[in-house]
Amino acid sequence: MPDRFISFLTEPPQAERVSRTPIFDRFCIAFLAADWILFGSMHFSLHAETRRMLPEWVPIPDAVVIVTGIAEVTVGILLLYPRARRIAALGSLALLVLLTPAVFHILYNDSALPFPDPQDWRNRLWRLLGVPHNVLMAICSIH
């Protein structure tokens, strides 16, 4: 039983399985890989801004920002390798679940926004697109 589970996670789909939506498959792979690598790297280049996006109750926030940044970049890179794609998709879903408190914190707390003025159009856009963006990431991870 464990061998079947590991092979499910690591082996590419069987040759007889033909994707009915190859364009959407490619879009999802490219979108998720670019997204995780870009936003994961921002945990290091914009560390203070990323830390502000965490709720106050998160323990050791600096370590959480670094570890999640490493995890995001790793998932993004693994998505580019066909043999690792399934495990990377599961990692993507796990990250989306783990980052949900930060998304709600950003939506409801002005101090968590990336730009100083809460009324700045960039902050409004950040809040407007945040949830649909995460939903699209979840759809692509499941697909």
Side-chain angles (χ1 to χ4, degrees), residues 79-126:
L79 282 163
L80 299 173
Y81 295 98
R83 294 196 74 180
R85 210 162 275 154
R86 284 187 179 178
I87 193 82
L90 291 173
S92 180
L93 287 171
L95 280 169
L96 288 169
V97 170
L98 291 172
L99 297 175
T100 300
V103 171
F104 281 102
H105 183 66
I106 293 165
L107 288 173
Y108 294 108
N109 190 340
D110 289 342
S111 67
L113 292 167
F115 304 101
D117 180 15
Q119 299 306 315
D120 187 332
W121 68 270
R122 295 172 295 182
N123 282 329
R124 291 176 184 224
L125 185 65
W126 188 268

Side-chain angles (χ1 to χ4, degrees), residues 22-37:
I23 294 171
F24 190 65
D25 290 349
R26 289 187 182 112
F27 166 78
C28 285
I29 293 165
F31 172 72
L32 284 172
D35 205 85
W36 284 125
I37 292 169

Side-chain angles (χ1 to χ4, degrees), residues 10 32 47 54 57 73-74 89 91 123:
T10 59
L32 284 172
H47 184 83
L54 289 176
W57 54 264
V73 171
T74 302
N123 282 329

